[in-house]
Amino acid sequence: MNSLWVFEDVNLFGLLCPHKFKAYKSEHDFDAYKKSDYIYFEEDAANKVYLIEKGKVKIGYYNENGEEVVKAILRKGELFGEKAILGENIRDEFAQSLDNNTSICPVGVSTMHELMRDNQTFSFKIYKFIGFKFKKLERRLQLLLFKDAKTRLVEFLDELCLEYGYNCDRTGDHVIKHPYTQKDIASLIGISRPTLNTLLNDLKDNNIINFNRKEIRILKKIA
């Protein structure tokens, strides 16, 4: 697989939340969401960006056939709605809470622009992050459009290896400790959960992987 530009070891919540900046702390609140609550809808005004303090958020849209397309599933420390920084006025996606205790830090676009204007390092990190997100999204859409189900899964596992993987000194296996449920993975690669279960079990039966809820072990290179 082609290398991805990995934005390593950066907790954007810790970096960007206005609570970290004295001038903005007193006038800033967190928003709480339950599972299935929407943070914003397609066609909403794009006047804020959002940081996840805790919980998980699904980003997606509906295609012309009314089918949901999941672009990303984000977790604690991640940023979304960032296209508002670049001048987007109307949302072309939705954001939905996947947990019962999701907590979001909303940041007005004008506040974000002030922070970026006053801090060159901060500004650089924001633009680097946006570039990474666009590159990752482009790759995921290519997978959905041009690859079969097994290839989507194999390449997604490659991606997980880069983001969450490490080599086990004891066994030599490549271990992926990831934050996704099987439902999340199925949504991200555009297949049904039963199809995902079949593909994972086929790889397991062939001694290529082993897995449980939060860990996947790559036992040998996936063809």
Side-chain angles (χ1 to χ4, degrees):
M1 125 178 206
N2 294 329
S3 295
L4 284 171
W5 177 16
V6 179
F7 198 57
E8 295 179 339
D9 299 326
V10 175
N11 182 321
L12 287 166
F13 178 83
L15 175 69
L16 307 180
C17 179
H19 280 87
K20 307 294 180 182
F21 297 87
K22 187 175 180 180
Y24 299 99
K25 183 175 181 178
S26 62
E27 58 190 49
H28 190 73
D29 294 314
F30 293 101
D31 294 335
Y33 297 89
K34 298 295 186 184
K35 188 173 183 178
S36 299
D37 286 351
Y38 283 88
I39 296 134
Y40 58 76
F41 296 92
E42 293 182 72
E43 306 298 328
D44 278 358
N47 52 19
K48 295 178 182 177
V49 297
Y50 302 86
L51 294 134
I52 305 173
E53 184 204 10
K54 62 180 178 180
K56 284 199 301 187
V57 173
K58 175 170 67 177
I59 307 297
Y61 66 94
Y62 291 93
N63 64 23
E64 58 188 17
N65 297 320
E67 299 166 332
E68 181 181 280
V69 178
V70 178
K71 296 166 65 175
I73 293 174
L74 308 176
R75 66 197 193 286
K76 178 180 177 178
E78 296 196 83
L79 171 77
F80 62 97
E82 68 281 347
K83 285 187 285 186
I85 299 172
L86 304 178
E88 178 185 72
N89 295 313
I90 302 295
R91 302 288 184 195
D92 61 1
E93 63 191 19
F94 65 79
Q96 184 181 31
S97 170
L98 293 179
D99 281 350
N100 275 321
N101 296 296
T102 297
S103 179
I104 301 294
C105 166
V107 186
V109 171
S110 59
T111 298
M112 186 64 76
H113 284 160
E114 285 178 26
L115 292 170
M116 293 171 70
R117 185 172 60 247
D118 294 341
N119 188 322
Q120 273 193 334
T121 301
F122 176 87
S123 181
F124 172 75
K125 287 180 178 178
I126 289 290
Y127 284 123
K128 183 177 179 181
F129 167 77
I130 291 173
F132 163 70
K133 285 266 299 249
F134 284 172
K135 187 167 185 173
K136 189 172 180 179
L137 175 59
E138 180 183 16
R139 174 171 176 75
R140 182 148 296 143
L141 292 177
Q142 286 176 344
L143 281 178
L144 292 175
L145 290 172
F146 303 116
K147 306 289 186 175
D148 61 28
K150 182 179 179 181
T151 304
R152 292 181 208 173
L153 174 59
V154 168
E155 297 204 12
F156 184 73
L157 291 177
D158 281 347
E159 188 176 308
L160 288 182
C161 279
L162 287 174
E163 292 192 51
Y164 303 106
Y166 65 92
N167 289 318
C168 177
D169 292 334
R170 183 174 60 84
T171 64
D173 300 340
H174 203 71
V175 181
I176 306 167
K177 288 190 177 292
H178 62 89
Y180 301 119
T181 64
Q182 287 196 13
K183 182 179 178 182
D184 294 341
I185 294 172
S187 296
L188 284 167
I189 63 177
I191 63 177
S192 68
R193 189 169 174 181
T195 299
L196 175 64
N197 285 334
T198 298
L199 291 171
L200 286 172
N201 285 320
D202 182 57
L203 292 173
K204 183 177 181 179
D205 290 344
N206 284 285
N207 296 314
I208 295 172
I209 68 169
N210 203 351
F211 64 92
N212 56 39
R213 286 186 62 198
K214 292 298 180 184
E215 179 182 291
I216 300 171
R217 284 182 173 261
I218 309 297
L219 307 179
K220 60 184 178 182
K221 185 173 177 60
I222 306 173

